[in-house]
Structure formats: structure tokens, C-alpha cells
CSV table of all heavy atoms in Angstrom, one decimal:
chain,number,residue,atom,x,y,z
A,1294,LEU,N,101.3,74.4,128.4
A,1294,LEU,CA,100.1,74.9,127.6
A,1294,LEU,C,99.3,73.7,127.2
A,1294,LEU,O,99.8,72.6,126.8
A,1294,LEU,CB,100.6,75.5,126.2
A,1294,LEU,CG,101.6,76.6,126.3
A,1294,LEU,CD1,102.0,77.1,124.9
A,1294,LEU,CD2,101.0,77.8,127.1
A,1295,LEU,N,98.0,73.8,127.5
A,1295,LEU,CA,97.0,72.7,127.1
A,1295,LEU,C,96.0,73.3,126.1
A,1295,LEU,O,95.3,74.3,126.4
A,1295,LEU,CB,96.3,72.3,128.4
A,1295,LEU,CG,95.4,71.1,128.2
A,1295,LEU,CD1,95.3,70.3,129.5
A,1295,LEU,CD2,94.0,71.5,127.8
A,1296,MET,N,96.0,72.7,124.9
A,1296,MET,CA,95.0,73.1,123.9
A,1296,MET,C,93.7,72.4,124.2
A,1296,MET,O,93.7,71.2,124.3
A,1296,MET,CB,95.5,72.9,122.5
A,1296,MET,CG,94.5,73.4,121.5
A,1296,MET,SD,95.2,73.4,119.8
A,1296,MET,CE,96.3,74.9,119.9
A,1297,PHE,N,92.7,73.2,124.3
A,1297,PHE,CA,91.3,72.7,124.6
A,1297,PHE,C,90.5,73.1,123.4
A,1297,PHE,O,90.1,74.3,123.3
A,1297,PHE,CB,90.8,73.4,125.9
A,1297,PHE,CG,89.5,72.8,126.5
A,1297,PHE,CD1,89.4,71.4,126.7
A,1297,PHE,CD2,88.5,73.6,126.8
A,1297,PHE,CE1,88.2,70.9,127.3
A,1297,PHE,CE2,87.3,73.1,127.3
A,1297,PHE,CZ,87.2,71.8,127.6
A,1298,THR,N,90.1,72.1,122.6
A,1298,THR,CA,89.6,72.4,121.3
A,1298,THR,C,88.4,71.5,120.9
A,1298,THR,O,88.3,70.4,121.4
A,1298,THR,CB,90.7,72.4,120.2
A,1298,THR,OG1,90.1,72.7,118.9
A,1298,THR,CG2,91.3,71.0,120.1
A,1299,SER,N,87.6,72.0,120.0
A,1299,SER,CA,86.5,71.2,119.5
A,1299,SER,C,86.9,70.4,118.3
A,1299,SER,O,86.2,69.5,117.9
A,1299,SER,CB,85.3,72.1,119.0
A,1299,SER,OG,84.8,72.9,120.1
A,1300,PHE,N,88.1,70.6,117.8
A,1300,PHE,CA,88.5,70.0,116.5
A,1300,PHE,C,89.7,69.0,116.7
A,1300,PHE,O,90.5,68.9,115.8
A,1300,PHE,CB,89.0,71.1,115.6
A,1300,PHE,CG,88.0,72.2,115.5
A,1300,PHE,CD1,88.2,73.5,116.1
A,1300,PHE,CD2,86.8,72.0,114.7
A,1300,PHE,CE1,87.3,74.5,115.9
A,1300,PHE,CE2,85.9,73.1,114.6
A,1300,PHE,CZ,86.1,74.3,115.2
A,1301,LYS,N,89.7,68.3,117.7
A,1301,LYS,CA,90.8,67.4,118.0
A,1301,LYS,C,90.9,66.2,117.0
A,1301,LYS,O,89.9,65.5,116.8
A,1301,LYS,CB,90.8,66.8,119.4
A,1301,LYS,CG,92.0,65.9,119.7
A,1301,LYS,CD,91.9,65.4,121.1
A,1301,LYS,CE,93.1,64.5,121.4
A,1301,LYS,NZ,93.0,63.8,122.7
A,1302,THR,N,92.0,66.1,116.3
A,1302,THR,CA,92.3,65.0,115.3
A,1302,THR,C,93.7,64.7,115.6
A,1302,THR,O,94.5,65.4,116.2
A,1302,THR,CB,92.1,65.5,113.9
A,1302,THR,OG1,93.1,66.5,113.6
A,1302,THR,CG2,90.7,66.0,113.6
A,1303,PRO,N,94.2,63.5,115.1
A,1303,PRO,CA,95.6,63.2,115.2
A,1303,PRO,C,96.5,64.2,114.6
A,1303,PRO,O,97.6,64.5,115.2
A,1303,PRO,CB,95.7,61.8,114.6
A,1303,PRO,CG,94.3,61.2,114.7
A,1303,PRO,CD,93.4,62.4,114.6
A,1304,GLN,N,96.1,64.7,113.4
A,1304,GLN,CA,97.0,65.7,112.8
A,1304,GLN,C,97.0,67.0,113.6
A,1304,GLN,O,98.1,67.6,113.7
A,1304,GLN,CB,96.4,66.0,111.4
A,1304,GLN,CG,97.2,67.0,110.6
A,1304,GLN,CD,98.7,66.6,110.4
A,1304,GLN,OE1,99.0,65.5,110.2
A,1304,GLN,NE2,99.6,67.6,110.4
A,1305,LEU,N,95.9,67.5,114.1
A,1305,LEU,CA,95.8,68.7,114.9
A,1305,LEU,C,96.7,68.5,116.2
A,1305,LEU,O,97.4,69.4,116.5
A,1305,LEU,CB,94.4,69.0,115.3
A,1305,LEU,CG,94.3,70.3,116.2
A,1305,LEU,CD1,93.1,71.2,115.7
A,1305,LEU,CD2,94.2,69.9,117.6
A,1306,GLU,N,96.5,67.4,116.8
A,1306,GLU,CA,97.3,67.1,118.0
A,1306,GLU,C,98.8,67.2,117.7
A,1306,GLU,O,99.6,67.8,118.4
A,1306,GLU,CB,97.0,65.8,118.6
A,1306,GLU,CG,97.6,65.5,119.9
A,1306,GLU,CD,97.0,64.3,120.7
A,1306,GLU,OE1,96.2,63.6,120.1
A,1306,GLU,OE2,97.3,64.2,121.9
A,1307,LYS,N,99.2,66.6,116.6
A,1307,LYS,CA,100.6,66.6,116.2
A,1307,LYS,C,101.1,68.0,115.9
A,1307,LYS,O,102.2,68.4,116.4
A,1307,LYS,CB,100.8,65.8,114.9
A,1307,LYS,CG,102.2,65.6,114.4
A,1307,LYS,CD,102.3,64.8,113.1
A,1307,LYS,CE,103.7,64.7,112.6
A,1307,LYS,NZ,103.8,63.9,111.4
A,1308,GLU,N,100.3,68.8,115.3
A,1308,GLU,CA,100.7,70.2,115.0
A,1308,GLU,C,100.7,71.0,116.3
A,1308,GLU,O,101.6,71.8,116.5
A,1308,GLU,CB,99.7,70.8,114.0
A,1308,GLU,CG,100.2,72.2,113.5
A,1308,GLU,CD,99.4,72.7,112.4
A,1308,GLU,OE1,98.6,72.0,111.7
A,1308,GLU,OE2,99.6,73.9,112.1
A,1309,ALA,N,99.7,70.8,117.2
A,1309,ALA,CA,99.7,71.5,118.5
A,1309,ALA,C,101.0,71.2,119.3
A,1309,ALA,O,101.6,72.1,119.9
A,1309,ALA,CB,98.5,71.2,119.2
A,1310,LEU,N,101.3,70.0,119.3
A,1310,LEU,CA,102.6,69.6,120.1
A,1310,LEU,C,103.8,70.2,119.5
A,1310,LEU,O,104.7,70.7,120.2
A,1310,LEU,CB,102.7,68.1,120.2
A,1310,LEU,CG,101.6,67.4,121.0
A,1310,LEU,CD1,101.7,65.9,120.8
A,1310,LEU,CD2,101.5,67.8,122.4
A,1311,ALA,N,103.8,70.3,118.1
A,1311,ALA,CA,105.0,70.9,117.4
A,1311,ALA,C,105.0,72.4,117.7
A,1311,ALA,O,106.1,73.0,117.6
A,1311,ALA,CB,104.9,70.6,115.9
A,1312,CYS,N,103.9,73.0,118.0
A,1312,CYS,CA,103.9,74.4,118.2
A,1312,CYS,C,104.2,74.8,119.7
A,1312,CYS,O,104.3,76.0,120.0
A,1312,CYS,CB,102.5,75.0,117.9
A,1312,CYS,SG,102.1,75.0,116.1
A,1313,GLY,N,104.3,73.8,120.5
A,1313,GLY,CA,104.7,74.0,121.9
A,1313,GLY,C,103.6,73.6,122.9
A,1313,GLY,O,103.9,73.7,124.1
A,1314,CYS,N,102.5,73.2,122.5
A,1314,CYS,CA,101.5,72.7,123.5
A,1314,CYS,C,102.0,71.4,124.1
A,1314,CYS,O,102.6,70.6,123.4
A,1314,CYS,CB,100.1,72.5,122.8
A,1314,CYS,SG,99.3,74.0,122.3
A,1315,ASN,N,101.6,71.2,125.3
A,1315,ASN,CA,102.1,70.0,126.0
A,1315,ASN,C,101.0,68.9,126.1
A,1315,ASN,O,101.3,67.8,126.4
A,1315,ASN,CB,102.5,70.4,127.5
A,1315,ASN,CG,103.5,71.4,127.5
A,1315,ASN,OD1,103.2,72.6,127.6
A,1315,ASN,ND2,104.8,71.0,127.4
A,1316,ALA,N,99.8,69.3,125.7
A,1316,ALA,CA,98.7,68.4,125.7
A,1316,ALA,C,97.5,69.0,124.9
A,1316,ALA,O,97.4,70.2,124.8
A,1316,ALA,CB,98.2,68.0,127.1
A,1317,VAL,N,96.7,68.1,124.4
A,1317,VAL,CA,95.5,68.5,123.6
A,1317,VAL,C,94.3,67.7,124.2
A,1317,VAL,O,94.4,66.5,124.3
A,1317,VAL,CB,95.6,68.3,122.1
A,1317,VAL,CG1,94.4,68.7,121.4
A,1317,VAL,CG2,96.9,69.0,121.6
A,1318,VAL,N,93.2,68.4,124.5
A,1318,VAL,CA,92.0,67.8,125.0
A,1318,VAL,C,90.9,68.3,124.2
A,1318,VAL,O,90.8,69.5,124.0
A,1318,VAL,CB,91.8,68.1,126.5
A,1318,VAL,CG1,90.5,67.5,127.0
A,1318,VAL,CG2,93.0,67.5,127.3
A,1319,SER,N,90.0,67.4,123.8
A,1319,SER,CA,88.8,67.8,123.1
A,1319,SER,C,87.7,68.3,124.1
A,1319,SER,O,87.6,67.8,125.2
A,1319,SER,CB,88.2,66.6,122.3
A,1319,SER,OG,87.0,66.9,121.8
């Protein structure tokens, strides 16, 4: 799962990874 978001922050990335996303890209 790759989260593709407008709101990327270190906290959001940490939460996304904790929820099961494998990567976060702004």
C-alpha cells in the first residue's frame, strides 16, 4: 500500500506506516 497524499508530515507518515502502508508520497 502506498499512501499518496497532499498532507505529508513526519507524524502522518508514522501513522500511515503504523496502519499498514508501506510508503507515503506527497
Side-chain angles (χ1 to χ4, degrees):
L1294 305 177
L1295 185 149
M1296 184 167 285
F1297 189 54
T1298 180
S1299 300
F1300 309 106
K1301 184 178 175 185
T1302 65
Q1304 181 59 35
L1305 179 137
E1306 187 167 11
K1307 182 178 177 181
E1308 190 170 348
L1310 295 173
C1312 290
C1314 289
N1315 303 93
V1317 180
V1318 175
S1319 171

